[in-house]
Amino acid sequence: MDTRSLNRTGLFSTRIFVAAVFAICVGLGSSALYGFLTLVRLRDQYLEKIGHDIAASVDAQTRGPGRRNNLSVWESALEEAALANPEKVTSLALLDHTGRTLVSFENKPDRQSAPTSGQEKDVKSSIYWFEDSFSASPRSAQGRGAEVTGWRIRMGLQKSQAAFITRQAYSHLITSALAIVALLTLSFYFLRTLDQFLKLRTRENLDKHLATLGQMAATLAHEIRNPLGAMKGLAQVTQESLPPDHEAQALMITVVNEAKRLEQLVNDLLSFARPGKPELSQFDLKRLSAEVIAMLEAKPGLNGGGIRLSCPDETLFVHSDPNGIRQVLLNIFLNAIQVTPAGQAISVALRKDETTREAVIEVDDCGPGLGDQSPEDLFEPFTTGRIKGTGLGLAVSKQIIERLGGSITLANRAEGGARCSLRVPIGF
């Protein structure tokens, strides 16, 4: 995206906008992460609360004379606590101050087959391990009761007991991530839409400027055409009045030829600046092409090779503007004639493209080809590779064809020369 076009307006700073979006995304991400960690801590605290309650019940059952140091009492208390909370507790164990297991009890789920290693890993990851220490009974502070000091209980708790907190934590995280993605996506489309809008506005301003220049050029060309025609006529009359062997004949021929070239330039400029409204009708494109070829071959100065027309069908009817197509064919054929060496023929092939419902005209010349020039550049006004060319023939042709819904392209031929391809919608 060309952000420079946005910054140049002075009304919008892309950098500030991007920085603001980035700051909002960072804020949303930080808030989501903080919320997720908070909910994880809340889950652990919830499980610890369960552990403390179970440990307190075990502690209460083992209090009393002769019970605190009796491992059988502890074993019975652990078993009772585990069986009373089968959905919460997976195992219970009593450890001494060295970490040695004194008694333990495990809630074994009913399984018909031994768990696989993957299942064992899943089971272990779903257990929250909790430990709590026991204090010695006040009555057993001396003698054997002192051995109770440092004992602690370890229990495995099912994390599924706090699954609702875990789901809420992940839901909050995913929602925040989706919000960040949505914000970035909307920001991207906003910037792209704004960039396209500003480019369109710039193009509209340029089009208005060009339209003004085109109107001025058309007016100027129209004013030039009349005195130019008078000068050409006077030069022709003077040429005819002089003897054929007069020394001024060569000069008058040059004047007449250059006047004709300027007249053609003025006509092309008027056609480009003030395109006429298409008059659509049904006509035979093959017949129209043959008429244009016959008209050109009747002119003096055509190379000896002529123009060869080929068409697989007897007729090729299209619904388009015959006058516009005639002007396009005339321009294309003249270009091909002027670059083709004397004695070599120009090939014109007509066919119907059933897939796209278009009539295709391919004009092949035997000239030097396009060279290093870009085909698109040759369609720009006043771009020509010939010394006496006006540089408007292809531009006018492209304008007419595109106005009729067709297309025109140029390309080099592998065997030499260039090919101009015209596509005209059949239209019915």
Side-chain angles (χ1 to χ4, degrees), residues 214-387:
Q215 185 68 27
M216 293 174 59
T219 303
L220 184 61
H222 181 74
E223 295 299 326
I224 291 175
R225 183 168 58 176
N226 293 332
L228 180 62
M231 287 187 289
K232 184 186 71 172
L234 292 175
Q236 288 175 330
V237 170
T238 303
Q239 180 186 3
E240 293 172 358
S241 63
L242 293 175
D245 57 348
H246 194 277
E247 59 182 6
Q249 278 288 353
L251 298 176
M252 298 308 299
I253 291 175
T254 301
V255 171
V256 172
N257 290 337
E258 291 301 316
K260 289 181 179 179
R261 190 172 72 88
L262 288 176
E263 188 177 38
Q264 181 62 41
L265 175 61
V266 170
N267 291 333
D268 289 344
L269 183 59
L270 287 174
S271 298
F272 184 76
R274 295 178 178 175
K277 185 178 180 180
E279 297 181 0
L280 304 181
S281 63
Q282 184 176 331
F283 61 94
D284 184 2
L285 184 60
K286 180 179 180 180
R287 180 177 179 180
L288 179 64
S289 301
E291 291 176 356
V292 175
I293 292 173
M295 180 182 65
L296 290 174
E297 288 181 336
K299 290 186 176 182
L302 184 70
N303 60 52
I307 302 175
R308 299 175 183 175
L309 175 64
S310 63
C311 181
D313 303 318
E314 293 185 2
T315 58
L316 182 55
F317 283 96
V318 297
H319 188 75
S320 188
D321 180 14
N323 293 326
I325 298 298
R326 183 188 302 273
Q327 184 177 355
V328 171
L329 292 178
L330 184 62
N331 290 338
I332 300 303
F333 292 166
L334 282 174
N335 283 347
I337 290 172
Q338 291 168 353
V339 299
T340 298
Q344 297 190 29
I346 297 166
S347 299
V348 179
L350 276 68
R351 60 183 175 85
K352 182 188 296 184
D353 190 338
E354 296 290 353
T355 304
T356 60
R357 296 290 298 166
E358 291 177 322
V360 182
I361 310 171
E362 294 177 339
V363 182
D364 296 343
D365 62 54
C366 300
L370 306 182
D372 296 333
Q373 285 185 294
S374 171
E376 292 299 324
D377 292 342
L378 293 174
F379 290 108
E380 294 296 325
F382 306 109
T383 301
T384 179
R386 295 179 285 107
I387 297 176

Side-chain angles (χ1 to χ4, degrees), residues 19-39:
V21 171
F22 178 76
I24 294 174
C25 291
V26 171
L28 287 175
S30 301
S31 175
L33 182 59
Y34 176 78
F36 177 78
L37 295 177
T38 301
L39 289 173

Side-chain angles (χ1 to χ4, degrees), residues 83 111 124 147 166 249 268 399:
L83 294 177
R111 293 185 183 272
K124 291 180 180 179
E147 297 177 3
T166 305
Q249 278 288 353
D268 289 344
Q399 185 184 67

